[in-house]
Amino acid sequence: MPKKSKHKKKAQQEDFKKPKLKVGKKKQQASNFTDTSFKSRAISLPSQSITEDKSNEITNSRNLTLNELLTQLKHYNSGMRKDAIIGLKDFFRVNPHILSQSLSLVVNSLLRLLIDDNKFVRTTLLSFFTEFFIPMEKSELRPFLPILIIYTCSAITHIYEDIRADSIKFMELWLNIAPDIIVDGFWQRVVPNYIGLLTTDSNTIVTNSASSIVTPLTNSQNQFWSHEVKIEILSSFYKLLKYGLIDDDDDSMQFKQNVSIDWEQVHGKVELLPPHPLRLSLLPHLSQSKSKYTMQLNLFNNSSSLIAENKNERINISKILSRNETNKNIEENFDVSTVQGRLSGAKDLLSVINPILLAIWLDTAPSILGTISINQNSHSLKIIHLVLKIMVVLWRSTIRYELINQEFTDKQWIESQLKQLLKHYVVYFPFGAESMSIHDEKVESTLQEMNLIFCELTSFFLKISTLKNKEMDSNNDKKSSHKKRKRAEVSNSSESQPLWIEQVVEYILHALGFESNKALMTSSTSDFKADHLKTLLPTIKSLLNCLEDDKQESIFKAILDYSKRCRSQSTKRIFIDFISKLLMLQETSHSKGLFRIYNDTSLAEEIQTWALNLPKLLCELKTNNIESIETSQKILHVLCDFAKRSGKGIFNDEIMIQIQTALIPFLHVDLPNKGPLFGPFIYLPQNLQRKTIDFLFYCPKIIDKMKYALENVLNKEETESIRNYAISLLYRKF
């Protein structure tokens, strides 16, 4: 019988192989084993809030109470958190009175959502704040704003880019609600955060060299922001600087900065207060140095302590954002809770932000200003517009602080920085000139505002250059006469003036519609808004004190000509006030400007003609219009100033008689065929009627025709209230 093969023998052994059992291991189940075990789970059905009886509690439309909604704000699901905010909006719409009562709970629950990682949650949170916090009483919300601002600052420095971008919207909201809390208590924290958003500043070196105002910005964060986000950052930063560096009492015409008027010299000694016995007891307690808020409630000591701690702490932006220490030679103490304290740090802030903004300008301007057509929705136009607005606020604050304190310790630095800056801007000036046609009013208004900002920056440069030349001349020749010094100043300034000064003068003359050949004003130069005009007039004032005589005369004649032709009442008031203040400075010996108007000159005749047109304008204005009444008040006030200075300067007695003659139709006139005709005087408010009587009181004498007109007017019933006032004031002149 043959032997079995090895393969068959091995297979036979496997079929009858006995499994070996090992300690600690379970026995293997047979291949035909059936598992008969089973498991069960219980389904829990808790009571749902929508069906629960909450008739004794205050709920929203989804039958959720305030505590339930606040609990859902901590849910791990972003959708639940967003729905909870929507539920809060629904809850407070139905029950608005509960928000002020539970504001502490609501704010504490919503704080962490400022840095929520879900965009829809943050967007819904912003809409909640906008809807309920803006109309709320500021006194109720004020104690909670410091902690909200601190969390917003944390969001600005967050690691995620979208959270940083959304944080600007929240900060702008707090700026709209209570800007004083941010600028007074958190200026040192918020400003560096904004600069950190614009650039990481890891490779930016701020130097005092005039030749290197900008160094290359590698790893610049602003290159990675989209245009929309960059616009939001720049716009919010501009608002912050505007609130923090511009005082409410700031004189936009800038007449108060350079001139202190000796009223006793101009008008003689005047007793302003009556000699009453209570005067001596009340005057010591009348102080204007009181704080803006008589009471401040500080509930969060950790956050609001910044207000007290930072008063003696320097805002050294360059030390925060730069690794070098080039600005160690700056004084260390000032109070950032006041405008004056923040103005003292404007130069340091300018030295840091100047290269950053200029880098943004150089990156954006060629894409919009070098094109034939400019679109209204162009993001590039908005960006360069905001850059210019931020620049002018910082430079205006720096120059203003130096003028107030009368100490230009670093004129060379200011002049060189401005010169280098204007060299980059003048390439495209006037902005929008290369465009074929601009049919959009918003675009045209934006470009016009940009041109006016450039003119204002140029006036700053001229002002600093003139002060520097004046100082040099005083050191070189202290014994020279005033006229020689003036000629030397003008000649030195004209020799060193850059070419763009002439461009600025030509632009201003063109904007005012003034040509040497008396050409008609075009439609493009007649649409001056009041805001644009307020920006232009300080520039004109600086140019009048820094330019040659012929250019001064051309600019002033352009102002007079434009004030006669403009139709807007607000524009007329601004021009009348500006011209009258310039004329007032001519009579003071403390005026430091070079612009002078001398008698028997063509410019003096132009001013006299302009003054004679003011009574005619009074007769043309309506008395049932608020703007017309305000214009009439401004004209009467200016006429009173002219009458007070009668016999001095260009307003002699003859001119005042002519003004009186022109003012007669304003009161009363007898027409040959129609009889007596009363002017707008009897329909004006009582204070303006009194102002007219004051003008006649200040005049050297009252002509017979004016006496006759005044007597007829005072016999009317409409003027019965001022009859005694006029008689008591003018009885000596009749």
Side-chain angles (χ1 to χ4, degrees):
M1 186 175 179
K3 296 182 179 179
K4 294 182 180 179
S5 62
K6 293 182 179 180
H7 178 70
K8 291 183 178 180
K9 192 174 182 180
K10 187 176 180 180
Q12 186 178 3
Q13 291 177 356
E14 289 180 356
D15 291 340
F16 298 97
K17 186 177 180 180
K18 184 177 180 181
K20 296 181 180 180
L21 300 178
K22 294 183 179 181
V23 179
K25 290 189 176 182
K26 294 182 179 180
K27 181 180 179 181
Q28 294 183 358
Q29 300 290 344
S31 59
N32 59 351
F33 175 77
T34 301
D35 187 8
T36 58
S37 62
F38 64 91
K39 295 180 180 179
S40 63
R41 292 185 177 182
I43 300 176
S44 178
L45 294 175
S47 59
Q48 298 183 6
S49 60
I50 196 170
T51 60
E52 186 178 354
D53 184 17
K54 299 179 181 178
S55 57
N56 296 328
E57 300 182 31
I58 302 176
T59 60
N60 63 355
S61 59
R62 296 179 57 193
N63 203 24
L64 293 174
T65 62
L66 179 61
N67 291 332
E68 292 173 344
L69 291 170
L70 296 179
T71 303
Q72 291 180 4
L73 293 174
K74 305 175 184 178
H75 201 275
Y76 67 91
N77 188 288
S78 60
M80 288 291 295
R81 297 195 298 271
K82 185 189 74 171
D83 292 340
I85 301 175
I86 296 175
L88 284 176
K89 294 170 67 175
D90 183 27
F91 182 87
F92 291 124
R93 284 170 187 164
V94 179
N95 310 286
H97 61 283
I98 300 181
L99 180 58
S100 59
Q101 301 174 3
S102 58
L103 190 57
S104 176
L105 293 174
V106 174
V107 170
N108 290 330
S109 300
L110 294 175
L111 281 174
R112 67 189 70 198
L113 300 183
L114 287 167
I115 53 176
D116 195 279
D117 55 358
N118 187 271
K119 180 177 180 59
F120 299 104
V121 174
R122 298 193 303 271
T123 304
T124 310
L125 179 65
L126 179 63
S127 66
F128 175 84
F129 286 153
T130 305
E131 181 177 353
F132 294 100
F133 281 10
I134 290 181
M136 184 180 294
E137 291 291 335
K138 302 302 180 291
S139 59
E140 296 180 356
L141 189 60
R142 185 174 293 273
F144 304 97
L145 282 174
I147 192 67
L148 288 168
I149 295 171
I150 289 177
Y151 268 82
T152 306
C153 291
S154 177
I156 292 178
T157 58
H158 202 274
I159 190 173
Y160 292 136
E161 182 178 346
D162 57 340
I163 295 180
R164 296 199 302 270
D166 287 343
S167 64
I168 297 300
K169 301 175 183 177
F170 290 99
M171 186 62 71
E172 189 165 2
L173 178 63
W174 311 139
L175 280 171
N176 294 331
I177 293 176
D180 56 298
I181 292 182
I182 297 179
V183 298
D184 293 344
F186 298 91
W187 179 261
Q188 307 232 135
R189 175 175 294 190
V190 176
V191 171
N193 287 343
Y194 273 96
I195 300 178
L197 287 175
L198 293 174
T199 177
T200 56
D201 205 26
S202 57
N203 294 314
T204 302
I205 299 177
V206 180
T207 65
N208 293 328
S209 174
S211 60
S212 58
I213 187 173
V214 180
T215 55
L217 289 174
T218 59
N219 193 22
S220 178
Q221 184 65 31
N222 71 72
Q223 297 177 357
F224 301 101
W225 291 119
S226 63
H227 283 326
E228 293 84 355
V229 176
K230 196 180 297 185
I231 290 172
E232 292 178 356
I233 296 173
L234 292 173
S235 177
S236 182
F237 188 40
Y238 168 71
K239 286 185 178 180
L240 176 67
L241 296 176
K242 182 179 177 182
Y243 287 127
L245 298 178
I246 298 179
D247 194 359
D248 295 336
D249 299 329
D250 186 18
D251 189 359
S252 61
M253 305 297 238
Q254 297 183 3
F255 284 98
K256 297 181 180 179
Q257 295 178 1
N258 302 327
V259 178
S260 59
I261 299 174
D262 188 359
W263 291 104
E264 293 187 5
Q265 176 186 352
V266 180
H267 303 301
K269 189 173 181 180
V270 179
E271 183 69 24
L272 298 180
L273 294 177
H276 195 275
L278 291 177
R279 174 178 167 186
L280 297 177
S281 60
L282 291 177
L283 281 180
H285 304 284
L286 298 178
S287 175
Q288 296 180 354
S289 61
K290 295 181 180 180
S291 59
K292 189 174 182 181
Y293 300 101
T294 57
M295 181 182 68
Q296 184 175 2
L297 181 60
N298 293 328
L299 298 182
F300 305 96
N301 295 328
N302 294 332
S303 61
S304 61
S305 61
L306 289 171
I307 301 175
E309 294 176 359
N310 291 338
K311 285 185 178 180
N312 297 321
E313 187 178 332
R314 178 88 187 153
I315 177 172
N316 197 341
I317 306 294
S318 59
K319 198 170 183 179
I320 297 175
L321 298 176
S322 182
R323 295 178 181 177
N324 62 353
E325 297 182 359
T326 59
N327 296 324
K328 282 186 176 181
N329 55 347
I330 308 172
E331 55 182 296
E332 290 293 325
N333 297 322
F334 74 98
D335 185 3
V336 295
S337 64
T338 62
V339 177
Q340 189 67 15
R342 292 189 291 270
L343 285 175
S344 63
K347 181 181 175 183
D348 300 336
L349 177 59
L350 182 62
S351 64
V352 176
I353 199 64
N354 193 31
I356 299 172
L357 295 178
L358 189 53
I360 298 176
W361 171 274
L362 295 175
D363 184 50
T364 311
S367 63
I368 185 65
L369 295 180
T371 59
I372 298 177
S373 61
I374 300 178
N375 186 13
Q376 172 189 354
N377 299 322
S378 174
H379 296 304
S380 300
L381 180 62
K382 296 178 181 178
I383 289 174
I384 61 176
H385 182 214
L386 288 169
V387 167
L388 284 176
K389 291 172 71 175
I390 294 173
M391 280 289 193
V392 77
V393 168
L394 290 173
W395 279 108
R396 189 185 298 158
S397 303
T398 302
I399 300 297
R400 178 192 170 199
Y401 176 77
E402 300 290 344
L403 285 174
I404 291 175
N405 294 274
Q406 298 294 327
E407 49 180 25
F408 281 87
T409 55
D410 200 355
K411 298 186 187 69
Q412 185 66 31
W413 181 87
I414 297 176
E415 184 183 15
S416 61
Q417 293 281 22
L418 271 173
K419 188 174 183 179
Q420 293 294 329
L421 187 68
L422 292 172
K423 280 184 179 179
H424 293 284
Y425 293 161
V426 76
V427 177
Y428 306 102
F429 182 79
F431 305 117
E434 297 182 358
S435 301
M436 298 297 294
S437 60
I438 302 176
H439 301 288
D440 196 321
E441 294 182 359
K442 292 183 178 180
V443 173
E444 188 175 359
S445 177
T446 301
L447 292 173
Q448 193 176 51
E449 186 176 354
M450 292 170 59
N451 288 321
L452 296 179
I453 291 175
F454 179 83
C455 294
E456 187 174 358
L457 292 173
T458 304
S459 69
F460 294 156
F461 173 77
L462 279 174
K463 186 179 295 184
I464 299 301
S465 299
T466 304
L467 289 175
K468 189 182 72 171
N469 294 332
K470 187 182 296 185
E471 183 179 346
M472 292 174 59
D473 292 338
S474 62
N475 294 332
N476 295 334
D477 190 7
K478 295 184 178 180
K479 296 182 179 180
S480 61
S481 63
H482 174 72
K483 293 184 178 179
K484 289 183 179 180
R485 287 201 305 269
K486 180 179 177 180
R487 286 197 297 268
E489 290 167 1
V490 173
S491 61
N492 291 336
S493 60
S494 61
E495 291 175 0
S496 59
Q497 283 178 2
L499 296 177
W500 66 74
I501 304 297
E502 188 70 27
Q503 294 179 251
V504 170
V505 174
E506 292 178 358
Y507 171 79
I508 291 176
L509 293 177
H510 177 72
L512 294 175
F514 181 81
E515 300 292 343
S516 58
N517 56 358
K518 299 293 183 180
L520 294 177
M521 184 175 59
T522 60
S523 60
S524 61
T525 61
S526 60
D527 296 332
F528 246 127
K529 296 181 179 180
D531 294 338
H532 294 164
L533 191 59
K534 290 179 181 179
T535 306
L536 178 64
L537 291 183
T539 303
I540 292 177
K541 179 178 178 293
S542 298
L543 293 177
L544 288 174
N545 292 320
C546 301
L547 296 175
E548 299 87 347
D549 293 340
D550 55 342
K551 293 180 180 178
Q552 291 178 358
E553 186 175 352
S554 298
I555 292 177
F556 197 79
K557 286 183 178 179
I559 296 172
L560 295 174
D561 189 48
Y562 189 88
S563 64
K564 297 176 185 177
R565 293 183 282 107
C566 64
R567 299 179 180 179
S568 173
Q569 297 293 333
S570 59
T571 304
K572 282 185 180 295
R573 289 195 300 272
I574 294 173
F575 266 114
I576 292 171
D577 185 61
F578 178 77
I579 296 171
S580 64
K581 286 184 177 180
L582 279 179
L583 297 177
M584 182 182 65
L585 296 181
Q586 305 298 314
E587 308 296 335
T588 59
S589 60
H590 297 273
S591 178
K592 300 179 181 180
L594 300 178
F595 178 64
R596 290 294 178 190
I597 302 174
Y598 299 99
N599 297 334
D600 301 329
T601 59
S602 60
L603 191 56
E605 294 178 358
E606 292 277 351
I607 295 173
Q608 292 171 356
T609 305
W610 172 81
L612 290 174
N613 286 327
L614 294 180
K616 298 179 182 179
L617 181 59
L618 271 177
C619 299
E620 297 173 358
L621 293 173
K622 299 179 180 180
T623 57
N624 56 355
N625 190 346
I626 297 178
E627 287 197 356
S628 299
I629 292 176
E630 292 178 354
T631 307
S632 300
Q633 183 178 6
K634 178 60 66 177
I635 293 174
L636 290 172
H637 180 76
V638 171
L639 290 178
C640 286
D641 288 340
F642 293 165
K644 292 175 185 178
R645 291 189 293 274
S646 59
K648 299 179 181 179
I650 61 177
F651 294 103
N652 50 33
D653 294 344
E654 183 181 354
I655 297 299
M656 297 311 302
I657 291 175
Q658 295 180 16
I659 292 177
Q660 276 192 55
T661 305
L663 193 64
I664 290 175
F666 177 67
L667 280 74
H668 172 271
V669 66
D670 284 329
L671 298 179
N673 298 327
K674 297 183 179 179
L677 179 65
F678 292 93
F681 174 82
I682 61 175
Y683 305 107
L684 288 176
Q686 184 177 349
N687 62 328
L688 298 187
Q689 293 177 350
R690 286 173 175 263
K691 203 68 177 178
T692 307
I693 303 300
D694 294 341
F695 164 73
L696 297 176
F697 171 76
Y698 291 126
C699 288
K701 65 177 182 178
I702 302 177
I703 60 177
D704 295 335
K705 292 183 179 180
M706 176 59 73
K707 292 179 181 178
Y708 175 75
L710 187 60
E711 289 176 355
N712 285 277
V713 166
L714 293 179
N715 290 328
K716 294 285 291 183
E717 295 181 359
E718 291 84 349
T719 60
E720 185 179 358
S721 57
I722 65 162
R723 187 177 303 161
N724 295 331
Y725 177 78
I727 293 174
S728 62
L729 202 63
L730 303 177
Y731 75 96
R732 292 183 179 180
K733 296 194 174 186
F734 274 80

